[in-house]
Amino acid sequence: MNSKYRRLLSRSSVAAVRSRLAGVVGVVALMAAVLTGTAAVGTAGAAPVAASVTLSAHAPAAAPAAAPAHPAAARPATGGWTCAGTPIPKGYVLVGFNRSGCNGAGSWDQQPVRDGIWTCSGSPIVSGYVISNYLSSGCSGIGAWYHQLAKNGLWTCAGSPIVSGYVTTNYNRSGCNGIGAWVQMTARAGLWTCPGSPVPAGFRSTSFNAGGCGGQGAWLLQRV
C-alpha cells in the first residue's frame, strides 16, 4: 500500500510541477509578446496595455514602429474623382456621383466652388454661398443643389445658410421645386422679417404682422 501511495503521490507531484511550468511558460510568452508587439489580435485592446504598466518598472518601453514615409491617409485630397470617405479640400464641393465607382463603394467628383454651380446632396456649403435651387433627379438621382454667392433679394431654398448680415423677408411655399424658398435681404430698418430669421447686431424686432411672410407672420426690424 505504501509503495502504491508513494507512486500516486509522485505522479501527482510531477503533474503539479508540469502545470506550474506550463503556467510560467505562458506568462513568459505573454510578456515576450507584449514587449515585441506580437500579442494576439484578440487581446490587443486590453492585455498589452495592462501588461505594459506592470512591466514598465522593470524594462524599457519598446521603440514605436517607424511610420510609413508617405501614409495614404495623410495625403491631402486634391479634387477630381475620389472614393467615398475621402476628405474634401477647403473651398471644394461635390458635383458628381458614380454609384459603381471605387469597386462599388461609390465615388464623388470634387471641384472648386464657384458662383452658379450644381452640387450633390451632402456636399459642403462654402462660406459666403447660399442654395437657390433644387433638382431631385440631379447628381445621378440623389438630388442636386444650386450654389450662388449671397446677394440682396435672392430666393434661397429650405436648409440654405443665411449669410451674416442678411435676414429673410418673404416665403414661397412652392419655391425650390416644392421644398419652399425664402428671400434673403441685407438687414436694414423697416424690413419685415420671417419666423426664424436672424436679428443682426444693432437691430431689434418690434411690431408683428400675422399676415406677413407668406402667411407665416412677420416682425418689423428696427435699429436699437
Side-chain angles (χ1 to χ4, degrees):
M1 286 290 290
N2 289 338
S3 63
K4 289 182 178 180
Y5 177 76
R6 282 195 296 272
R7 284 197 298 271
L8 290 172
L9 180 60
S10 177
R11 290 175 183 172
S12 64
S13 298
V14 170
V17 170
R18 286 177 178 172
S19 177
R20 289 174 186 174
L21 285 173
V24 171
V25 170
V27 171
V28 172
L30 177 60
M31 291 169 65
V34 170
L35 291 174
T36 59
T38 58
V41 173
T43 61
V49 175
S52 64
V53 172
T54 304
L55 296 170
S56 61
H58 308 286
H70 300 286
R75 293 178 188 149
T78 56
W81 282 100
T82 59
C83 296
T86 301
I88 302 171
K90 185 177 181 180
Y92 278 62
V93 289
L94 303 176
V95 299
F97 174 61
N98 182 359
R99 296 178 188 276
S100 60
C102 290
N103 292 322
S107 58
W108 302 84
D109 188 13
Q110 300 180 0
Q111 295 296 330
V113 71
R114 58 177 171 79
D115 190 20
I117 190 172
W118 283 96
T119 67
C120 300
S121 292
S123 172
I125 302 173
V126 177
S127 178
Y129 284 79
V130 292
I131 304 299
S132 59
N133 207 349
Y134 171 66
L135 183 62
S136 60
S137 61
C139 208
S140 299
I142 65 172
W145 303 84
Y146 195 60
H147 276 53
Q148 285 189 269
L149 285 167
K151 59 183 178 182
N152 199 40
L154 189 65
W155 282 93
T156 61
C157 301
S160 172
I162 301 172
V163 176
S164 178
Y166 282 72
V167 293
T168 56
T169 61
N170 205 352
Y171 173 66
N172 181 353
R173 191 181 303 274
S174 61
C176 281
N177 286 317
I179 65 172
W182 283 260
V183 171
Q184 292 191 21
M185 301 282 291
T186 51
R188 59 177 174 80
L191 287 178
W192 289 92
T193 63
C194 300
S197 171
V199 179
F203 290 89
R204 62 191 176 95
S205 295
T206 55
S207 303
F208 175 70
N209 179 1
C213 201
Q216 292 190 324
W219 285 262
L220 185 61
L221 199 66
Q222 295 288 2
R223 285 283 181 182
V224 173

